[in-house]
Amino acid sequence: MPLDPQIQALLDKGTGVPATHTLPVDVARAQYEARIALMAPPAAVADVCERMIDGPGAPLRLRIYKPLGTGPFPLLVFFHGSGFVLCSLDTHDGMCRNLCAGAACVVVSVDYRLAPEHKFPAGIEDCLHAVRWAAAHASELGADPTRVAVAGDSAGGNMAAVAALRLRDEGGPVLCAQLLLYPVTDYHTPGTPSYEENAEGYGLSRDTMKWFWEHYLSDPAQGAHPHASPLRARDLAGLPPALVITAEYDPLRDEGELYAQKLRAGGVRTALSRYDGVNHGFMFWVGVVDKAGVAMKETCAWLRGALAAPHHSGPMCR
């Protein structure tokens, strides 16, 4: 399908902006933060607050969103992208508000440590710790500790997938669902056909993904570890039900779809939706890009089903 004209208009606004992989990290971070001004107002929620908790390596900041209505609500722990290096609670504030309102769940957004200051596995250690903290403190958050899910976009999708693997293997808590939005699931070498097809011209480029990985890992050999590349995990059986969203014009399209196939092969109930005509990160643009709104509605409907009351939910829920 041709590139969606609304996506093309956004790409045109970025004409002349230096490519991420050509920039110092601090400049690249500022460039991504500047995108917030272009986003549409998000959905209304009942309350937003922040908590500092003791983390594995340093104090860990969480931003907590509560929906309108009366709880206890399901609990969604969210990990932001971008590339293990960029973005923040602020860049993903709108996405978290839309998920909170649309899925009627408490959302805990995690300000995990970023590379290159904090290499693999510091970020995932923070994310894992945050899930355990949130589940243990669900009642005080107005949430139900028996209805917990993880979610993330891009590198945050990687964190969500790896957190699900580690929680399965390292004593829980049990998850009801994992939401993976155009996730990073594999190291960039050797790459997939979509890495070649969408190497440049659509926002996220192959060169930028290489830059991200170089900052994230201390040694390229770590790219083979399943806690860096969950697609390389030997066994995905026993993981929570998943929704994987992919985008046609995304270098990461194929690895996201391969992960969905591998989840299904492992017996995991998995929904996969590819959105044609759009690029990596398109779900930032709810209210600007029509297909972003469609994808958000699908995502929230799936979450509501996956996080329904325990007697209606899948076998992973207690």
Side-chain angles (χ1 to χ4, degrees):
M1 177 180 288
L3 194 64
D4 186 292
Q6 293 174 320
I7 293 291
Q8 185 64 64
L10 288 169
L11 290 173
D12 290 345
K13 287 183 179 180
T15 300
V17 175
T20 300
H21 63 274
T22 68
L23 298 172
V25 169
D26 60 338
V27 176
R29 286 174 177 162
Q31 183 170 282
Y32 272 64
E33 297 289 325
R35 296 181 181 185
I36 299 170
L38 302 176
M39 298 175 189
V45 299
D47 184 61
V48 181
C49 65
E50 292 195 3
R51 288 279 297 269
M52 295 295 297
I53 64 171
D54 291 333
L60 184 59
R61 185 163 65 116
L62 309 175
R63 187 172 293 173
I64 301 160
Y65 303 79
K66 296 181 180 180
L68 300 168
T70 303
F73 301 100
L75 176 62
L76 181 68
V77 185
F78 182 87
F79 316 120
H80 71 76
S82 171
F84 316 104
V85 176
L86 310 176
C87 287
S88 65
L89 298 183
D90 293 337
T91 57
H92 286 66
D93 182 76
M95 186 175 291
C96 289
R97 289 172 185 265
N98 288 332
L99 289 168
C100 174
C105 60
V106 172
V107 176
V108 176
S109 185
V110 182
D111 191 26
Y112 60 88
R113 288 171 289 173
L114 297 176
E117 296 91 341
H118 304 283
K119 300 278 193 177
F120 169 82
I124 185 60
E125 293 291 347
D126 285 352
C127 293
L128 196 68
H129 183 80
V131 177
R132 289 177 169 148
W133 181 91
H137 293 81
S139 296
E140 69 187 73
L141 301 177
D144 181 349
T146 71
R147 293 187 286 158
V148 181
V150 291
D153 66 314
S154 192
N158 175 288
M159 297 291 189
V162 173
L165 281 167
R166 291 191 59 182
L167 290 167
R168 179 198 65 181
D169 297 339
E170 298 174 22
V174 174
L175 299 175
C176 291
Q178 54 180 322
L179 170 63
L180 312 178
L181 307 178
Y182 29 83
V184 177
T185 68
D186 200 13
Y187 188 57
H188 70 82
T189 300
T192 60
S194 63
Y195 250 102
E196 297 295 334
E197 295 168 16
N198 303 316
E200 57 184 21
Y202 302 111
L204 178 65
S205 70
R206 180 169 191 164
D207 286 341
T208 293
M209 280 306 305
K210 290 179 180 178
W211 186 83
F212 285 145
W213 279 110
E214 287 167 1
H215 283 305
Y216 184 47
L217 302 181
S218 300
D219 184 326
Q222 292 176 323
H225 196 293
H227 294 169
S229 298
L231 186 60
R232 305 194 188 197
R234 291 184 179 180
D235 179 17
L236 301 185
L239 290 173
L243 171 62
V244 181
I245 299 286
T246 63
E248 180 182 10
Y249 291 101
D250 182 359
L252 307 185
R253 181 194 69 212
D254 291 349
E255 65 192 70
E257 294 176 2
L258 287 168
Y259 195 64
Q261 292 169 17
K262 192 167 183 177
L263 284 166
R264 288 171 175 166
V268 178
R269 184 159 46 91
T270 303
L272 170 64
S273 290
R274 179 196 289 191
Y275 281 81
D276 290 331
V278 295
N279 63 347
H280 187 82
F282 77 101
M283 287 182 68
F284 274 121
W285 305 110
V286 173
V288 176
V289 173
D290 293 342
K291 286 187 177 179
V294 174
M296 183 58 71
K297 287 181 180 178
E298 178 192 2
T299 295
C300 291
W302 181 86
L303 277 172
R304 287 195 301 271
L307 293 171
H311 62 280
H312 293 305
S313 58
M316 291 303 296
C317 293
R318 293 173 291 185

